[in-house]
Amino acid sequence: MYTNLKTDPCLQRVTEYIQNNKHRIKHCDADALIEALPIIFKNNYFKFGDIFCHQTSGTAMGTPPAPSWATI
C-alpha cells in the first residue's frame, strides 16, 4: 500500500535517483522535478464525508506519480 511509503525517505531516494540519471530525463527539467515532488507528495488532501483531511503519512493512492514512486 502506498500509505506505507514514508514520504521523507522516499523523497531523498527519488531525488538521488533523479540526480544520478539527469542524462536520461529529457522531457522535463530535472531540478524543477526535484522541487515539485515535495509539493505534490506533502500536500495531499481528501474529503471524508463532510470533513477535509490532510494526509500526513504515506502517499495518496490517486496521485499520478505514486506507482513510479513506489517502484523506485
Side-chain angles (χ1 to χ4, degrees):
M1 296 215 30
Y2 297 144
T3 55
N4 291 330
L5 295 172
K6 304 297 179 206
T7 304
D8 289 328
C10 286
L11 279 172
Q12 183 179 4
R13 291 256 176 120
V14 171
T15 297
E16 290 171 6
Y17 178 84
I18 292 169
Q19 288 173 338
N20 292 335
N21 292 282
K22 281 185 178 183
H23 62 282
R24 293 181 175 187
I25 301 171
K26 308 256 189 258
H27 61 282
C28 67
D29 181 81
D31 294 324
L33 180 58
I34 290 169
E35 285 185 41
L37 286 173
I39 296 168
I40 294 167
F41 287 102
K42 290 189 173 189
N43 289 293
N44 294 316
Y45 292 88
F46 61 93
K47 185 177 178 184
F48 184 74
D50 292 333
I51 300 170
F52 284 92
C53 302
H54 177 222
Q55 183 173 342
T56 58
S57 178
T59 300
M61 293 296 287
T63 305
S68 299
W69 174 269
T71 301
I72 293 174

Coordinates of all heavy atoms in Angstrom, one line a residue:
M1 N 0.8 -1.2 0.0 CA 0.0 0.0 0.0 C 0.9 1.2 0.0 O 1.9 1.3 0.7 CB -0.9 0.0 1.2 CG -1.9 -1.1 1.2 SD -3.5 -0.8 1.9 CE -3.8 0.9 1.6
Y2 N 0.4 2.2 -0.7 CA 1.2 3.5 -0.8 C 1.2 4.2 0.5 O 2.1 5.0 0.8 CB 0.6 4.4 -1.9 CG 0.7 3.8 -3.3 CD1 -0.3 4.0 -4.2 CD2 1.8 3.0 -3.7 CE1 -0.2 3.5 -5.5 CE2 1.8 2.5 -5.0 CZ 0.8 2.8 -5.8 OH 0.9 2.3 -7.1
T3 N 0.2 4.0 1.4 CA 0.3 4.7 2.7 C 1.4 4.2 3.5 O 1.8 4.9 4.5 CB -1.1 4.5 3.4 OG1 -1.3 3.1 3.5 CG2 -2.2 5.1 2.7
N4 N 2.0 3.1 3.2 CA 3.2 2.6 3.9 C 4.5 3.2 3.5 O 5.5 3.0 4.1 CB 3.3 1.1 3.8 CG 2.2 0.4 4.6 OD1 1.6 0.9 5.5 ND2 1.8 -0.8 4.1
L5 N 4.5 4.0 2.4 CA 5.7 4.6 1.9 C 5.9 5.9 2.7 O 5.1 6.8 2.7 CB 5.5 5.0 0.4 CG 5.4 3.9 -0.5 CD1 5.0 4.4 -1.9 CD2 6.6 3.0 -0.6
K6 N 7.0 5.9 3.4 CA 7.4 7.1 4.2 C 7.9 8.2 3.3 O 8.8 8.0 2.5 CB 8.4 6.8 5.3 CG 8.1 5.6 6.2 CD 6.8 6.0 7.0 CE 6.4 4.9 7.9 NZ 5.1 4.9 8.2
T7 N 7.2 9.4 3.4 CA 7.5 10.4 2.4 C 8.9 11.0 2.4 O 9.5 11.0 1.3 CB 6.5 11.6 2.7 OG1 5.2 11.1 2.6 CG2 6.6 12.7 1.6
D8 N 9.5 11.3 3.5 CA 10.8 11.9 3.5 C 11.9 11.0 3.0 O 12.7 11.4 2.2 CB 11.1 12.5 4.9 CG 10.3 13.7 5.3 OD1 10.0 14.5 4.3 OD2 10.0 13.9 6.4
P9 N 11.9 9.7 3.5 CA 13.0 8.8 2.9 C 12.8 8.6 1.4 O 13.7 8.5 0.7 CB 12.8 7.5 3.7 CG 12.1 7.9 5.0 CD 11.3 9.1 4.6
C10 N 11.5 8.5 1.0 CA 11.2 8.3 -0.4 C 11.7 9.5 -1.3 O 12.2 9.4 -2.3 CB 9.8 8.0 -0.7 SG 9.3 6.4 -0.2
L11 N 11.4 10.7 -0.7 CA 11.8 11.9 -1.4 C 13.3 12.0 -1.6 O 13.9 12.3 -2.6 CB 11.4 13.2 -0.7 CG 10.0 13.7 -0.9 CD1 9.6 14.8 0.1 CD2 9.8 14.1 -2.3
Q12 N 14.0 11.5 -0.5 CA 15.5 11.5 -0.6 C 16.0 10.5 -1.6 O 16.9 10.8 -2.4 CB 16.1 11.1 0.8 CG 17.6 11.2 0.8 CD 18.1 10.8 2.2 OE1 17.4 10.5 3.1 NE2 19.4 10.9 2.4
R13 N 15.4 9.4 -1.7 CA 15.8 8.3 -2.6 C 15.5 8.8 -4.1 O 16.3 8.6 -5.0 CB 15.1 7.0 -2.4 CG 15.6 6.3 -1.1 CD 16.5 5.2 -1.5 NE 17.0 4.6 -0.3 CZ 16.8 3.3 0.1 NH1 16.1 2.5 -0.7 NH2 17.3 2.8 1.2
V14 N 14.3 9.3 -4.3 CA 13.9 9.7 -5.6 C 14.8 10.9 -6.1 O 15.2 10.9 -7.2 CB 12.4 10.1 -5.7 CG1 12.0 10.7 -7.0 CG2 11.6 8.8 -5.4
T15 N 15.1 11.8 -5.2 CA 16.0 12.9 -5.5 C 17.3 12.4 -6.0 O 17.9 12.8 -7.0 CB 16.1 13.9 -4.3 OG1 14.8 14.4 -4.0 CG2 17.1 15.0 -4.6
E16 N 17.9 11.5 -5.2 CA 19.2 10.9 -5.6 C 19.1 10.2 -6.9 O 20.0 10.3 -7.8 CB 19.6 9.8 -4.5 CG 20.0 10.5 -3.2 CD 20.2 9.4 -2.1 OE1 20.2 8.2 -2.4 OE2 20.4 9.9 -0.9
Y17 N 18.0 9.5 -7.2 CA 17.8 8.8 -8.4 C 17.8 9.8 -9.6 O 18.4 9.6 -10.6 CB 16.5 7.9 -8.4 CG 16.2 7.2 -9.7 CD1 16.8 6.0 -10.0 CD2 15.4 7.8 -10.7 CE1 16.6 5.3 -11.2 CE2 15.2 7.1 -11.9 CZ 15.8 5.9 -12.1 OH 15.5 5.3 -13.3
I18 N 17.0 10.8 -9.4 CA 16.9 11.8 -10.5 C 18.3 12.5 -10.7 O 18.7 12.7 -11.9 CB 15.8 12.9 -10.1 CG1 14.4 12.2 -10.2 CG2 15.9 14.1 -11.1 CD1 13.3 13.1 -9.6
Q19 N 19.0 12.8 -9.7 CA 20.3 13.5 -9.8 C 21.3 12.6 -10.5 O 22.1 13.0 -11.3 CB 20.8 13.9 -8.5 CG 20.1 15.1 -7.9 CD 20.5 15.4 -6.5 OE1 21.0 14.6 -5.7 NE2 20.2 16.7 -6.1
N20 N 21.2 11.3 -10.2 CA 22.1 10.3 -10.9 C 21.7 10.0 -12.3 O 22.5 9.4 -13.0 CB 22.2 9.0 -10.0 CG 22.9 9.3 -8.7 OD1 23.7 10.2 -8.5 ND2 22.5 8.5 -7.7
N21 N 20.5 10.3 -12.7 CA 20.0 9.9 -14.0 C 19.5 11.1 -14.8 O 18.7 11.0 -15.7 CB 18.9 8.9 -13.9 CG 19.4 7.6 -13.4 OD1 20.0 6.8 -14.1 ND2 19.2 7.3 -12.1
K22 N 20.1 12.3 -14.5 CA 19.7 13.5 -15.2 C 19.8 13.4 -16.8 O 19.0 13.9 -17.5 CB 20.5 14.7 -14.8 CG 20.0 15.3 -13.5 CD 20.7 16.6 -13.1 CE 20.2 17.2 -11.9 NZ 20.9 18.5 -11.5
H23 N 20.9 12.7 -17.2 CA 21.1 12.5 -18.6 C 20.0 11.7 -19.3 O 19.9 11.8 -20.5 CB 22.5 11.8 -18.8 CG 22.5 10.4 -18.2 ND1 22.7 10.2 -16.8 CD2 22.4 9.2 -18.8 CE1 22.7 8.9 -16.6 NE2 22.5 8.3 -17.8
R24 N 19.2 11.0 -18.6 CA 18.1 10.2 -19.1 C 16.8 11.0 -19.2 O 15.9 10.6 -19.9 CB 17.9 8.9 -18.3 CG 19.0 8.0 -18.4 CD 18.6 6.7 -17.6 NE 19.7 5.7 -17.7 CZ 19.5 4.5 -17.2 NH1 18.5 4.2 -16.6 NH2 20.5 3.7 -17.4
I25 N 16.7 12.0 -18.4 CA 15.5 12.8 -18.3 C 15.5 13.9 -19.3 O 16.1 14.9 -19.1 CB 15.3 13.3 -16.8 CG1 15.3 12.1 -15.9 CG2 14.0 14.1 -16.7 CD1 15.3 12.5 -14.4
K26 N 14.8 13.7 -20.4 CA 14.9 14.7 -21.5 C 13.6 15.5 -21.6 O 13.5 16.6 -22.2 CB 15.1 14.0 -22.8 CG 16.3 13.0 -22.8 CD 17.4 13.6 -23.5 CE 18.5 12.6 -23.7 NZ 19.6 12.8 -22.8
H27 N 12.5 15.0 -21.1 CA 11.2 15.6 -21.3 C 10.8 16.7 -20.3 O 9.8 17.4 -20.4 CB 10.1 14.5 -21.2 CG 10.0 13.8 -19.9 ND1 10.9 12.8 -19.6 CD2 9.2 13.9 -18.8 CE1 10.6 12.4 -18.4 NE2 9.6 13.0 -17.9
C28 N 11.7 16.9 -19.2 CA 11.4 18.0 -18.3 C 12.7 18.3 -17.6 O 13.7 17.6 -17.7 CB 10.4 17.6 -17.3 SG 10.9 16.3 -16.1
D29 N 12.7 19.5 -16.9 CA 13.9 19.9 -16.2 C 14.0 19.1 -14.9 O 13.1 19.1 -14.1 CB 13.8 21.4 -15.9 CG 15.0 21.9 -15.2 OD1 16.0 22.2 -15.8 OD2 14.9 22.1 -13.9
A30 N 15.1 18.4 -14.7 CA 15.3 17.5 -13.5 C 15.2 18.3 -12.2 O 14.6 17.8 -11.3 CB 16.6 16.7 -13.7
D31 N 15.8 19.5 -12.2 CA 15.8 20.3 -11.0 C 14.4 20.8 -10.6 O 14.0 20.8 -9.5 CB 16.8 21.5 -11.1 CG 18.2 21.0 -11.2 OD1 18.6 20.0 -10.5 OD2 19.0 21.6 -12.0
A32 N 13.6 21.1 -11.6 CA 12.3 21.5 -11.4 C 11.4 20.4 -10.9 O 10.6 20.5 -10.0 CB 11.6 22.1 -12.7
L33 N 11.7 19.2 -11.4 CA 11.0 18.0 -10.9 C 11.3 17.7 -9.5 O 10.5 17.4 -8.7 CB 11.4 16.8 -11.8 CG 10.8 15.4 -11.4 CD1 9.3 15.5 -11.5 CD2 11.3 14.4 -12.4
I34 N 12.6 17.8 -9.1 CA 13.0 17.6 -7.7 C 12.3 18.6 -6.8 O 11.9 18.3 -5.7 CB 14.6 17.7 -7.6 CG1 15.2 16.5 -8.3 CG2 15.0 17.9 -6.1 CD1 16.7 16.6 -8.4
E35 N 12.2 19.9 -7.2 CA 11.5 20.9 -6.4 C 10.0 20.6 -6.3 O 9.4 20.9 -5.3 CB 11.7 22.3 -7.0 CG 13.1 22.8 -6.8 CD 13.2 24.3 -7.3 OE1 12.3 25.1 -7.1 OE2 14.3 24.6 -7.9
A36 N 9.4 20.1 -7.4 CA 8.0 19.8 -7.4 C 7.5 18.6 -6.6 O 6.4 18.6 -6.0 CB 7.5 19.6 -8.9
L37 N 8.4 17.6 -6.5 CA 8.0 16.4 -5.8 C 7.5 16.6 -4.3 O 6.5 16.1 -3.9 CB 9.1 15.4 -5.8 CG 9.3 14.7 -7.2 CD1 10.5 13.8 -7.2 CD2 8.0 13.9 -7.5
P38 N 8.2 17.4 -3.5 CA 7.7 17.7 -2.1 C 6.3 18.4 -2.1 O 5.5 18.1 -1.3 CB 8.8 18.5 -1.5 CG 10.0 18.3 -2.3 CD 9.5 18.0 -3.7
I39 N 6.1 19.2 -3.1 CA 4.8 19.9 -3.2 C 3.7 18.9 -3.4 O 2.7 18.9 -2.8 CB 4.9 21.0 -4.2 CG1 5.9 22.1 -3.8 CG2 3.5 21.6 -4.5 CD1 6.2 23.1 -4.9
I40 N 4.0 18.0 -4.4 CA 3.0 17.0 -4.8 C 2.7 16.0 -3.6 O 1.6 15.7 -3.3 CB 3.5 16.3 -6.0 CG1 3.5 17.2 -7.2 CG2 2.6 15.1 -6.3 CD1 4.3 16.6 -8.4
F41 N 3.8 15.5 -3.0 CA 3.6 14.4 -2.1 C 3.4 14.9 -0.6 O 3.0 14.0 0.2 CB 4.8 13.5 -2.1 CG 4.8 12.7 -3.4 CD1 5.6 13.0 -4.5 CD2 3.9 11.6 -3.5 CE1 5.6 12.2 -5.6 CE2 3.9 10.8 -4.6 CZ 4.7 11.1 -5.7
K42 N 3.6 16.1 -0.3 CA 3.3 16.6 1.1 C 2.0 17.4 1.2 O 1.7 18.0 2.2 CB 4.5 17.4 1.6 CG 5.7 16.5 1.8 CD 6.8 17.3 2.6 CE 7.9 16.3 3.0 NZ 8.9 17.0 3.8
N43 N 1.3 17.6 0.1 CA 0.1 18.4 0.1 C -1.1 17.5 -0.4 O -1.8 17.9 -1.3 CB 0.3 19.6 -0.7 CG 1.2 20.6 -0.1 OD1 0.8 21.2 1.0 ND2 2.3 20.8 -0.6
N44 N -1.3 16.4 0.2 CA -2.4 15.5 -0.2 C -3.6 15.8 0.7 O -3.5 15.6 2.0 CB -2.0 14.1 -0.1 CG -0.9 13.7 -1.1 OD1 -1.0 14.1 -2.2 ND2 0.1 13.0 -0.6
Y45 N -4.7 16.2 0.2 CA -5.9 16.5 0.9 C -7.0 15.6 0.3 O -7.0 15.3 -0.9 CB -6.3 17.9 0.8 CG -5.3 18.9 1.5 CD1 -4.2 19.4 0.8 CD2 -5.5 19.2 2.8 CE1 -3.3 20.2 1.5 CE2 -4.6 20.1 3.5 CZ -3.5 20.5 2.8 OH -2.7 21.4 3.4
F46 N -7.9 15.2 1.2 CA -9.0 14.4 0.8 C -10.2 14.7 1.6 O -10.1 15.3 2.7 CB -8.7 12.8 0.8 CG -8.4 12.3 2.2 CD1 -9.3 11.8 3.0 CD2 -7.1 12.4 2.7 CE1 -9.0 11.3 4.3 CE2 -6.7 11.9 3.9 CZ -7.7 11.4 4.7
K47 N -11.4 14.3 1.1 CA -12.6 14.6 1.8 C -13.2 13.3 2.3 O -13.3 12.3 1.5 CB -13.6 15.3 0.9 CG -14.9 15.7 1.6 CD -15.8 16.5 0.6 CE -17.1 16.8 1.3 NZ -18.0 17.5 0.4
F48 N -13.5 13.2 3.5 CA -14.2 12.0 4.2 C -15.5 12.5 4.7 O -15.5 13.2 5.8 CB -13.3 11.4 5.2 CG -13.8 10.2 5.8 CD1 -13.8 9.0 5.1 CD2 -14.3 10.2 7.1 CE1 -14.3 7.8 5.7 CE2 -14.8 9.0 7.7 CZ -14.8 7.8 7.0
G49 N -16.6 12.2 4.1 CA -17.9 12.7 4.5 C -17.9 14.2 4.3 O -17.7 14.7 3.2
D50 N -18.1 15.0 5.4 CA -18.1 16.4 5.3 C -16.8 17.0 5.8 O -16.7 18.2 5.9 CB -19.3 17.0 6.1 CG -20.6 16.7 5.5 OD1 -20.7 16.5 4.3 OD2 -21.6 16.6 6.3
I51 N -15.8 16.2 6.0 CA -14.5 16.7 6.6 C -13.4 16.6 5.6 O -13.2 15.6 4.9 CB -14.2 15.8 7.9 CG1 -15.3 15.9 8.9 CG2 -12.8 16.2 8.5 CD1 -15.1 14.8 10.0
F52 N -12.7 17.7 5.5 CA -11.5 17.7 4.7 C -10.3 17.4 5.5 O -10.1 17.9 6.6 CB -11.3 19.1 4.0 CG -12.2 19.3 2.9 CD1 -13.4 19.9 3.1 CD2 -11.9 18.9 1.6 CE1 -14.3 20.1 2.0 CE2 -12.7 19.1 0.5 CZ -14.0 19.7 0.7
C53 N -9.4 16.4 5.1 CA -8.3 16.0 5.8 C -7.0 16.2 5.0 O -7.0 16.1 3.8 CB -8.4 14.5 6.1 SG -9.9 14.1 7.1
H54 N -5.9 16.4 5.8 CA -4.6 16.5 5.2 C -3.8 15.2 5.5 O -3.6 14.9 6.7 CB -3.8 17.7 5.7 CG -2.4 17.8 5.2 ND1 -1.4 18.2 6.1 CD2 -1.9 17.7 4.0 CE1 -0.3 18.3 5.4 NE2 -0.6 18.0 4.1
Q55 N -3.4 14.5 4.5 CA -2.7 13.2 4.7 C -1.3 13.5 5.1 O -0.5 14.2 4.3 CB -2.7 12.4 3.4 CG -2.0 11.0 3.6 CD -2.2 10.1 2.4 OE1 -3.1 10.3 1.6 NE2 -1.4 9.1 2.3
T56 N -0.9 13.1 6.3 CA 0.4 13.4 6.8 C 1.4 12.3 6.7 O 2.6 12.5 7.0 CB 0.3 13.9 8.3 OG1 -0.3 12.9 9.1 CG2 -0.5 15.2 8.4
S57 N 0.9 11.1 6.4 CA 1.8 10.0 6.3 C 1.5 9.2 5.1 O 0.4 9.0 4.7 CB 1.6 9.1 7.6 OG 2.4 7.9 7.5
G58 N 2.6 8.7 4.4 CA 2.4 7.9 3.2 C 2.1 8.7 2.0 O 2.1 9.9 2.0
T59 N 1.7 8.0 0.9 CA 1.4 8.6 -0.4 C 0.0 8.3 -0.8 O -0.5 7.2 -0.6 CB 2.4 8.0 -1.4 OG1 3.7 8.3 -1.0 CG2 2.1 8.5 -2.8
A60 N -0.7 9.3 -1.3 CA -2.1 9.2 -1.7 C -2.2 8.2 -2.8 O -1.4 8.2 -3.8 CB -2.7 10.5 -2.1
M61 N -3.2 7.3 -2.8 CA -3.4 6.3 -3.8 C -3.7 6.9 -5.2 O -3.3 6.4 -6.2 CB -4.5 5.4 -3.4 CG -4.2 4.5 -2.2 SD -2.8 3.4 -2.4 CE -3.6 2.2 -3.5
G62 N -4.3 8.1 -5.3 CA -4.7 8.6 -6.5 C -3.7 9.6 -7.2 O -3.9 10.1 -8.2
T63 N -2.6 9.8 -6.5 CA -1.5 10.6 -7.0 C -0.9 10.0 -8.3 O -0.4 8.9 -8.2 CB -0.5 10.9 -6.0 OG1 -1.1 11.4 -4.8 CG2 0.6 11.9 -6.5
P64 N -1.0 10.7 -9.4 CA -0.5 10.1 -10.7 C 1.0 9.5 -10.6 O 1.2 8.4 -11.1 CB -0.6 11.2 -11.7 CG -1.7 12.0 -11.2 CD -1.6 12.0 -9.7
P65 N 1.9 10.2 -9.9 CA 3.3 9.6 -9.9 C 3.5 8.5 -8.8 O 4.6 8.0 -8.7 CB 4.2 10.8 -9.7 CG 3.4 11.8 -9.0 CD 2.0 11.6 -9.5
A66 N 2.4 8.2 -8.1 CA 2.6 7.2 -7.0 C 3.1 5.8 -7.4 O 4.0 5.3 -6.8 CB 1.3 7.0 -6.2
P67 N 2.6 5.2 -8.6 CA 3.1 3.9 -8.9 C 4.7 4.0 -9.3 O 5.4 3.1 -8.8 CB 2.3 3.6 -10.2 CG 1.1 4.3 -10.0 CD 1.5 5.6 -9.4
S68 N 5.1 5.0 -9.9 CA 6.5 5.1 -10.2 C 7.3 5.3 -8.9 O 8.4 4.8 -8.7 CB 6.8 6.3 -11.2 OG 6.2 6.1 -12.4
W69 N 6.8 6.1 -8.1 CA 7.4 6.4 -6.7 C 7.5 5.1 -6.0 O 8.6 4.9 -5.4 CB 6.4 7.4 -6.1 CG 6.6 7.8 -4.7 CD1 6.0 7.1 -3.6 CD2 7.3 8.9 -4.2 NE1 6.4 7.8 -2.4 CE2 7.1 8.9 -2.8 CE3 8.0 9.9 -4.8 CZ2 7.6 9.9 -2.0 CZ3 8.5 10.9 -4.0 CH2 8.3 10.9 -2.6
A70 N 6.5 4.3 -6.0 CA 6.6 3.0 -5.3 C 7.6 2.0 -5.9 O 8.2 1.3 -5.2 CB 5.2 2.4 -5.2
T71 N 7.7 2.1 -7.2 CA 8.6 1.2 -7.9 C 10.1 1.5 -7.6 O 10.9 0.6 -7.4 CB 8.4 1.3 -9.4 OG1 7.0 0.9 -9.7 CG2 9.3 0.3 -10.2
I72 N 10.4 2.8 -7.6 CA 11.8 3.3 -7.3 C 12.1 2.9 -5.9 O 13.2 2.4 -5.6 CB 12.0 4.8 -7.6 CG1 11.8 5.1 -9.0 CG2 13.3 5.2 -7.1 CD1 11.8 6.5 -9.4

